[in-house]
Amino acid sequence: MASIILTSSLNGIEAHPVELEADISPGLSAFIVVGLPDAAVQEARERVKSAMKHSELPFPRTKVTINLAPADLRKTGTGFDLPMAAAVLQAQGNLPKREKHETMLVGELALDGKLRPVPGILSMAILAANAGIKEMIVPEPNGGEAALVPNITIRTAQNLGQVYSHLCGKTILPQAPPRCIEAEGTENANLDMAAIRGQEQAKRSLEIAAAGGHNILLQGPPGSGKTLLAKTLPSILPNLTTDEALEATRIHSVMGLLPTGGYISIRPFRAPHHSASGVALVGGGAVPKPGEISLAHRGVLFLDEFPEFSRSVLEYLRQPLEDGVVTVARAQGTISFPARFLLVAAMNPCPCGYATDPDRACICSQIQTERYRKRISGPLMDRIDLAIEVPKVPTEKLTDLEPGESSVEIRKRVQAARDLQTERYVDCRAKTNAELSSDMVRRMIQPSAEAKIILHQAVEHFKLSARAYFRVLKVSRTIADLEATAEVESRHVSEALQYRQVT
């Protein structure tokens, strides 16, 4: 007798429905799995047999064939263990058949029958809810994550025996209570803008970047505070919205990087080393997985020692910085990962780092400095909205005990500016000024007559590209939002233009 159990498989961060069919037929003892399974799925045969034996459940001594449909979709991961065991039991007549869309099973089996958590449960629960499935049975550690999805009953189990009793109608598995995301804004409460001495212009530029989601480059000598400024940026970012938190949680879930709470409640801050490969940064691999830029989705990607990254690796950032998504093409198909992050890059002005230090002489030749700067291509620089010089902090500032403005106060202004953008773009896909397309900029950002004159002169004098022109307008709009000004005026454009070039 053939049986069908509903489960799902991950492709990137998206889950796809899989019908797991089991057939028991006469012949020599064999356990065959077909339907493009990877090595982990193939190895499920031994885990299933051992788990059923230790759970005192019968396993057939004849030929067992498992088919994973659709057969042209590659199946990966260990989440097929539990549905395989259930399908075998159902094919033997030990489990009653259920309606096709009644229950979805996902979980990895230990050899003794215990259930282990699997990555990507949130995406699978979203799939099940959208498909109208009544209940989903998952390992107990995955229950809190799956319960973030409304309109579906999530039941948790500790072992195969409990699942068997539930499916037989003997007992009822406990239901994971529905949960809501309680999002926060800062990654590390110990880092506060009040602790940074001096660097008023840099802190102002970070406020603008946070308010509008703009990319920023910090350039200055070693020890000037570039890394500290970058690490403090999350403390002034607004709280995650529920949708943003779910987006970030899905990505981290697929990678198995969820925190103890079961969801992402703070804006991600990713700081990969400059030796990172292109696959590590943007994602990919034989089985495509998200990279650092996707793990930084709706958060901050900090690239310290910016020119030390491989130039080819940096060029991979061009499309994500423009589109907010990275597309990985493989022979099996094309997968897209969300990558809407705020880029913070930091670099020295020259190889030795002291070209702009008033107290130390630079030992680099002009050719060395030019070669160092040319590691960052013009098209990539064109995608950075704010380029800031971070000078060495004077000694009197370092010894000043008077605290500066706190992150809490700055974040209030940033949140107010974001609220204006949310209201303005309620009918658009964009959430911040930085996400506006050129067509949206034309329709939604109307500078004053004087501001238009300054913009025209700047384009002619600095030979700004069309992309740079629109980015200046978007930064100007953010500066106006921080002042709660309806129109973009000349002073807003003038300040935005100051951030286009590093002096």
Side-chain angles (χ1 to χ4, degrees), residues 470-491:
F470 286 114
R471 287 184 177 269
V472 168
L473 264 177
K474 288 187 277 190
V475 174
S476 303
R477 179 65 265 175
T478 299
I479 296 171
D481 287 338
L482 285 168
E483 296 181 5
T485 305
E487 189 177 36
V488 175
E489 300 177 3
S490 58
R491 67 179 183 276

Side-chain angles (χ1 to χ4, degrees), residues 280-298:
L281 193 64
V282 304
V287 178
K289 291 291 183 69
E292 290 290 336
I293 64 174
S294 293
L295 291 171
H297 181 64
R298 297 302 175 188

Side-chain angles (χ1 to χ4, degrees), residues 78-87 105-109 115 137 160 163:
T78 57
F80 296 97
D81 294 6
L82 179 60
M84 274 190 194
L105 302 179
V106 180
E108 176 185 340
L109 287 172
L115 281 175
I137 299 177
L160 177 59
V163 177

